[in-house]
DNA sequence: TTGAAAGCGTTACCAG
DNA sequence: CTGGTAACGCTTTCAA
């Protein structure tokens, strides 16, 4: 780790000049504050002479004037800020791509997306912190927001609250992402490949239970009313842990494993191969996320491909909700899942 | 892709109640707004009777009152918001881990971290947008912020501007991340392994030149004054592209390749193997980022391990700068790079 | 112990 | 066409 040495300041602050305001611009341009506002906002309802416009612009330029967003939205009574708390759990590249697209699409609709780091806070306490910013919409990934929280946000003026998570929350729009489906997909696939004793990797890394638990349940659901069985396999994301698990693999008597996602699946698959366990003959392996890397191992990794909602669709949902705040909250099942069958299963 | 169907609102908005203010709380509790402020902020300079406190708290609770952050910071004249524009280019898991840690550490120091999605804007135009939020500090990843931009931010009251990128910017603290080093590392390593004709993968995905160009330069620098040569290898992150490149590999006459990062390196290494090119005997392969996945391929991927600055160190730098705004801007070289030699080279 | 009032930077309204 | 004035929600100083 590169250290940043701690320096102590040498000389004292030179000059701390106050931040220029529109009044300063007005003074310098020799006009009123109202005129400054008109000119800088290109207000079309009022005609300002060209020389005046120029003087104002030059004054603003000279002072380095930048309007104060807080003052503006205080005055306006609303903002176009869409708040999105940073997800509490480590998320993968899929989510980051989704978020980047969402941000860009909302930007196109003239919203400002702000990702807010609310560490430590949780539940309705977090909701209060978000409400203080008076966002016009709030997008909450994961669970943790209750009906109380939604109410707080709405009372604070949020015209749309959208949850992206496993369950509907009273009063909020819901983009349901039920990871049960992912496991179910994998389970059905393995079953159809003739497997009957199926291991399911459960990451030991904190926070991932939110995803791993429903995925496990999905596998269980796929196997209900069959003669197949499921075994939970706790696993840390480390080579040694995978090697240990592989070392006792034969004693587990499993003929297939769902690896939680591609990364854990690849880790385990490699460990199995190093242990001499034949994939897929002796044990089939399935991951999830459809990462490029899964295609590079041999055998190529079978996987569950996830479809997240398009950023554009979500952006439009938000925009609709903002414009029609009284409308009934929408609920959409947005997590698509389908097996991509490759050589490992 | 899962579609979100477009619904039209059925019934009109039920009731749009105004957002409760401290005045509403005061009215309900039968006290003045000042008293409300004292109670809710636990102002120690003033003594308020316990019954009054209770009445105020209950009133706030009943109305679902949440203070208005903008109004508060307008009045206070400053905020504790640390603004961090979202990086414009796709960044990897390393960056995301770094950012999460930074956020958590700044949160510990009682700053509020906000990641701001400024798509489309660039350079000093973006700086103005950021300045409107009057953040107490701004952390700018990548290049694109000029001295002008720094000046704008400072005039708008930012007490610390920190760039994380390839070069120092006048007036700002700089965490230099010179990716030249990464390539240099790889080049020196390959040279020492006796390689003389070295390919360097240049991702075709947009935006990555910011990193790939200096990495290439670093390889070149390592090979200066030797008899070794460098060849640029444009490559899209797709199996077919890698296969095509591998198909004409022997005609290139290279005995080593630096794959830009682990992902591109793995993609290419697999394609080379599929083409029958022996790794490392015929061609050595080196990646960068030291991802876990690189250890799972055979041969295991050699890589350049990157050390980003610790979130804690950066958080402390920010805090110091905020408290001592007149201090000389600090410059630190924070990108550590070292080769992790495995079997592919 | 509480209350009245000023003021933070903007913009909308309404006279001039 | 332009300029004064009020108001957004909050905190804080001063006075009662």
């Amino acid at each position: 780790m590169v250290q940043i040495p701690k320096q102590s300041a040498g000389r004292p602050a030179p000059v701390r000049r106050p931040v220029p305001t529109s009044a300063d611009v007005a003074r310098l341009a020799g006009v009123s504050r109202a005129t400054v506002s008109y000119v800088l906002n290109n207000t079309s309802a009022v005609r300002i002479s060209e020389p005046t416009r120029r003087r104002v612009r030059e004054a603003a330029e000279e002072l380095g004037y930048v309007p104060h967003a807080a003052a503006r939205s205080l005055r306006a009574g609303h903002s176009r800020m869409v708040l999105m708390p940073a997800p509490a759990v480590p998320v993968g590249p899929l989510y980051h791509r989704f978020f980047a697209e969402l941000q860009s699409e909302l930007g196109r609709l003239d919203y400002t997306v702000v990702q807010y780091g609310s560490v430590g806070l949780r539940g309705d306490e977090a909701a209060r912190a978000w409400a203080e910013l008076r966002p016009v919409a709030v997008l909450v990934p994961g669970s943790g927001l209750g009906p109380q929280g939604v109410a707080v946000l709405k009372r604070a003026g949020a015209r749309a609250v959208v949850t992206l998570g496993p369950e509907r929350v009273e009063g909020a729009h819901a983009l349901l992402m039920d990871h049960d489906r992912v496991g179910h997909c994998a389970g059905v696939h393995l079953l159809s490949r003739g497997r009957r004793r199926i291991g399911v990797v459960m990451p030991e890394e904190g926070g991932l239970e939110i995803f791993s638990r429903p995925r496990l349940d999905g596998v269980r659901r796929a196997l209900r009313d069959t003669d197949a069985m499921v075994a939970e396999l706790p696993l840390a994301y480390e080579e040694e842990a995978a090697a240990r698990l592989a070392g006792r693999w034969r004693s587990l008597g499993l003929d297939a494993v769902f690896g939680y996602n591609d990364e854990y699946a690849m880790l385990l698959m490699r460990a199995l191969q190093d242990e001499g366990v034949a994939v897929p003959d002796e044990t089939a392996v399935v991951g999830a996320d459809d990462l490029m890397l899964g295609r590079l191992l041999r055998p190529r990794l079978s996987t569950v491909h996830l479809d997240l909602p398009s950023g554009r669709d979500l952006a439009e949902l938000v925009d609709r909700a903002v414009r029609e705040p009284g409308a009934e909250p929408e609920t959409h099942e947005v997590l698509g899942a389908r097996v991509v069958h490759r050589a490992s299963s």
Side-chain angles (χ1 to χ4, degrees), chain A:
Chain A
M1 193 63 72
V2 180
Q3 290 289 329
I4 302 178
K6 296 168 184 34
Q7 298 180 356
S8 226
R11 83 186 74 147
V15 197
R16 178 126 296 273
R17 272 205 302 256
V19 181
T21 73
S22 74
D24 296 321
V25 177
R27 204 156 23 239
L28 183 57
V31 300
S32 74
R33 279 150 66 223
T35 306
V36 171
S37 175
Y38 292 142
V39 171
L40 296 183
N41 293 316
N42 282 315
T43 306
S44 52
V46 188
R47 300 235 167 284
I48 309 277
S49 71
E50 196 47 52
T52 305
R53 304 187 94 91
R54 247 216 347 272
R55 281 216 317 287
V56 169
R57 276 196 239 280
E58 284 171 2
E61 183 70 24
E62 179 175 339
L63 293 175
Y65 167 74
V66 174
H68 192 310
R72 174 179 292 176
S73 72
L74 182 60
R75 164 68 223 215
H78 60 87
S79 74
R80 306 234 351 134
M81 185 204 308
V82 174
L83 187 72
M84 193 157 175
V89 300
V91 290
L94 251 57
Y95 175 85
H96 289 296
R97 255 213 312 281
F98 162 71
F99 179 70
E101 190 193 341
L102 172 65
Q103 194 164 260
S104 148
E105 292 293 337
L106 281 171
R108 200 190 307 287
L109 294 172
D110 205 40
Y111 293 94
T112 293
V113 182
V114 155
Q115 200 179 26
Y116 187 85
S118 40
V119 276
L121 311 170
R122 57 157 195 261
D124 299 341
E125 196 180 354
R128 297 181 70 90
W130 306 336
E132 292 193 358
L133 300 181
R134 298 289 191 272
V136 69
V138 185
L139 311 182
V140 190
S143 58
L145 183 72
Q148 306 265 21
V150 175
V152 167
L153 289 170
K154 292 204 153 174
R155 253 211 296 277
R159 293 165 69 95
V161 179
V162 184
T163 61
L164 296 84
E167 54 202 8
R168 235 181 104 17
V169 179
E170 182 61 32
H173 299 264
L175 262 41
L176 288 181
M177 316 217 305
D178 190 354
H179 285 255
D180 182 285
R181 287 174 163 213
V182 180
H184 187 257
C185 237
V188 167
H189 169 71
L190 288 172
L191 216 53
S192 80
R193 304 293 300 169
R195 309 291 168 158
R196 288 295 177 272
R197 302 182 54 83
I198 300 176
V200 175
V201 170
M202 302 295 284
E204 288 181 344
E205 276 66 31
L208 261 34
E209 317 83 37
I210 309 175
F211 304 124
S212 63
R213 185 59 51 184
R215 289 185 185 189
L216 171 66
D217 293 340
V219 176
R220 286 229 167 85
R221 185 161 60 85
L223 271 50
R224 192 167 304 153
D225 303 323
T226 72
D227 57 341
M229 54 75 71
V230 168
E232 293 184 41
L233 304 171
L235 176 63
Y237 193 60
E238 293 156 9
E239 278 188 293
E240 303 72 34
R244 275 196 302 276
L245 177 54
R248 56 192 183 88
W249 192 256
R250 294 220 159 86
S251 74
L252 295 170
L254 301 175
D255 59 11
V257 59
F258 171 54
Y260 171 66
N261 71 10
D262 283 351
E263 293 181 298
Y264 284 87
M266 287 159 82
L267 179 66
L268 180 55
M269 182 166 90
R270 166 52 65 192
L272 288 175
Q273 290 176 313
D274 287 350
E275 192 66 27
V277 176
V279 177
D281 295 343
E282 195 172 345
T283 298
V285 180
V286 174
D289 283 357
D290 196 11
L291 299 186
M292 168 71 81
L293 280 324
R295 299 175 218 182
L296 306 183
L297 288 186
R298 294 298 177 265
R300 287 165 181 259
L301 183 68
S302 293
T303 191
V304 178
H305 179 93
L306 301 191
D307 276 326
L308 292 186
S310 86
R312 169 184 290 266
D313 284 351
L314 177 48
E316 281 172 3
L317 166 63
V318 169
D319 189 43
R320 232 179 310 146
V322 166
R323 298 224 281 246
E324 199 85 53
E328 201 62 19
E330 305 179 18
T331 300
H332 300 289
E333 184 64 70
V334 293
L335 189 67
R338 64 171 197 275
V339 164
V340 178
H341 182 203
R342 300 209 183 95
S344 71
S345 65

